[in-house]
Amino acid sequence: MDQNGQTLSPAQQQAFEARLDRFGLSRDTLSAPSIRTGDRPGGFILSSDPERSHLPPTMILVRDVAHLKALTGIPDEEYESGRLSDQEISYPAPPGGQGQLPDADTLRAAVAAYVQGNSAKVKDYEPLINELRMPMTIGVFAAHDVVVSASNPLIFFPGDPTSLVCTSITVEPGGQIIVQETVKLYAQQFTVLDGGDGTTPTFVVTGQDGVSGAAGGAGQPGAPGDPLGLASEDGGTGLPGGAGQAGTYSPSATLTLGVVTGTVGVVTGGGSGGSGGQGGPGGPGGNAAAGVDPWPGWDGGIGADGMDPPAGGKGGQGGPGGEGGQGGNGGVVAVFYTSVGSTASWKPVYTGAGGAGGPGGPPGAPGSGGSPGDYGPGPAGANGGSGVAGVIVIQGR
C-alpha cells in the first residue's frame, strides 16, 4: 500500500522498484515520501535547477543517446514486437553527406525519435547526436505518491530534462500538471477525481512565450524657419519598434501512467510569439518664423512667399511597428497506460496548437508640426507566424 492508501499489486511494486533501480535509486533514497502540491501556494516546482525546485534533484550524467534511451526511453522491442505502434513518431529523413550537419530542428526531431521511437530507424543520426548533444545531465525525482490540488499545479520548470518516478498520482478536481521541460513521468496508478468543470486539461505541455519588442525612439525634430524666409523643416520619421522574440518549442513528454482512472485531458503547444514593439513617434515639425521688415512679404519658414501666418514644418511620420515573434512549435507527447479503470476516459487533443504569432506593434504617433499638416502614423508591423502543431500519442501497453 502506498502513502495515499492505494494498494499496489506485486507487479506494480516490482515495476516501481525496477524503475528506481534504473536511475540508481531505491525506496531508501526517495526525494520525499509524498508530494502535496497544496503545500506550495501557486504550484509545486520540480526542476533540475536546485534554486527553483522545491525538492533537490538527483542529477545523473548521461553518456550518450543510447544511455538516454535506456534511462528514459521506450525499448525498441516494444515496437518490433507490435505491442506499440510508432505511426505517430516523426522520423526525420537520413542525414546528408559527410560534413553536412543537420539543423537544430532536425537534430531535435532525431533525438525524440531515437528515444521515444524505434532507434533503428534513425541509427544514422546516433554519432551526430553524440557529437553535438552529449554528454548531458538529467534531474530525477522519486516519491511514493503525488497529490495535485486545484490552483496549485505540479510544475516541471525549465532546466535540464527531468524524470519523476512514483507509485501513484492523484489529481483533485481542477488540478493540473504543467510541463515546461522535457519530462519522463512514471506512475503505477494515475487517478483523476470527479468534480471538476470538465474543461481543465490534466496535462499542459507548453513552451515559453516570447518577450515583446522594445518601442522605437522618436524621430528628430524639424529645424525652425528663419525670419529671412528659410522654410522650417519637417520632423523626422520615428524609429521602428523592435521585433518580438519567438516563442520556444513545446518540450517533449513521455507519460507512463499505469492503471488510469477518471477523465484525462492532454494539450500541447509552443509558446506564443512576443508582440512587436510600438513604432516611435514622428519628430515635431519645425516652427515657422514671422517675416521681418524691411522685407514685407518675406514671412519666415514656408511662408516665404508672403503667406500670413507662415506655416511650420509637418510632423514626421510615425515609425513602423516591430514584427511579431514566431510562435513555437508543438512537441511530441506520448501517453502510455497498462489498463484503464471502469470510469476512465480520455479527452486528448491529438494536434497540439503551435504558439500564436505576436501582433505587430501599433503605429507611432505623428509628430506635431507648426501647422496641422503631418505625414500620418507609421504602418503596423506584421504578425508573427504560428508554430507547427504538436503530436499526442496515447497507447495501451
Side-chain angles (χ1 to χ4, degrees):
M1 181 175 295
D2 74 1
Q3 300 293 311
N4 199 36
Q6 293 177 298
T7 301
L8 297 181
S9 69
Q12 289 174 327
Q13 294 176 10
Q14 183 178 9
F16 173 61
E17 292 174 357
R19 182 62 62 176
L20 290 176
D21 183 66
R22 184 176 296 189
F23 288 113
L25 303 174
S26 69
R27 286 182 177 269
D28 297 327
T29 58
L30 300 180
S31 307
S34 62
I35 295 174
R36 302 286 191 273
T37 66
D39 294 342
R40 296 284 183 172
F44 198 107
I45 295 175
L46 297 180
S47 173
S48 63
D49 182 353
E51 295 186 359
R52 298 304 301 266
S53 185
H54 290 143
L55 288 176
T58 297
M59 301 304 297
I60 296 177
L61 178 66
V62 180
R63 302 182 302 273
D64 51 39
V65 70
H67 187 200
L68 180 64
K69 184 177 181 71
L71 287 174
T72 66
I74 307 301
D76 289 345
E77 199 271 337
E78 295 282 348
Y79 299 108
E80 294 166 352
S81 66
R83 285 194 294 270
L84 292 179
S85 168
D86 64 350
Q87 183 177 355
E88 299 293 340
I89 299 295
S90 177
Y91 292 102
Q98 186 176 5
Q100 184 177 351
L101 298 178
D103 59 35
D105 290 348
T106 302
L107 191 64
R108 184 183 295 109
V111 173
Y114 189 104
V115 174
Q116 294 184 319
N118 187 342
S119 65
K121 295 185 178 181
V122 284
K123 195 70 174 178
D124 291 343
Y125 279 96
E126 187 171 355
L128 291 171
I129 295 171
N130 291 337
E131 177 184 353
L132 300 174
R133 291 290 183 89
M134 297 295 166
M136 64 180 296
T137 56
I138 60 175
V140 181
F141 300 89
H144 281 294
D145 60 293
V146 178
V147 178
V148 182
S149 60
S151 303
N152 300 296
L154 178 62
I155 303 170
F156 291 95
F157 194 79
D160 292 320
T162 303
S163 293
L164 171 63
V165 183
C166 57
T167 58
S168 68
I169 298 177
T170 301
V171 181
E172 296 178 343
Q176 285 191 307
I177 299 173
I178 298 175
V179 178
Q180 299 174 337
E181 180 54 81
T182 299
V183 161
K184 312 295 181 183
L185 187 153
Y186 306 95
Q188 301 303 312
Q189 299 173 350
F190 190 88
T191 302
V192 180
L193 300 180
D194 294 334
D197 59 9
T199 63
T200 303
T202 316
F203 290 97
V204 180
V205 185
T206 179
Q208 300 293 296
D209 293 342
V211 177
S212 297
Q220 294 294 317
D226 184 272
L228 300 182
L230 182 65
S232 55
E233 295 180 353
D234 297 339
T237 300
L239 299 180
Q245 290 185 355
T248 66
Y249 279 74
S250 168
S252 63
T254 302
L255 312 173
T256 304
L257 305 182
V259 178
V260 175
T261 303
T263 300
V264 181
V266 185
V267 296
T268 180
S272 297
S275 301
Q278 180 175 346
N287 293 327
V292 297
D293 291 333
W295 298 283
W298 272 23
D299 289 326
I302 295 178
D305 292 329
M307 184 182 298
D308 188 17
K314 295 180 179 180
Q317 184 176 22
E323 294 184 359
Q326 175 76 19
N329 291 345
V332 177
V333 180
V335 183
F336 300 105
Y337 60 92
T338 54
S339 64
V340 292
S342 59
T343 63
S345 61
W346 298 95
K347 284 190 175 179
V349 178
Y350 287 102
T351 53
S368 58
S371 69
D374 61 63
Y375 287 110
N383 290 338
S386 295
V388 178
V391 176
I392 297 175
V393 182
I394 297 177
Q395 296 190 49
R397 301 179 72 175

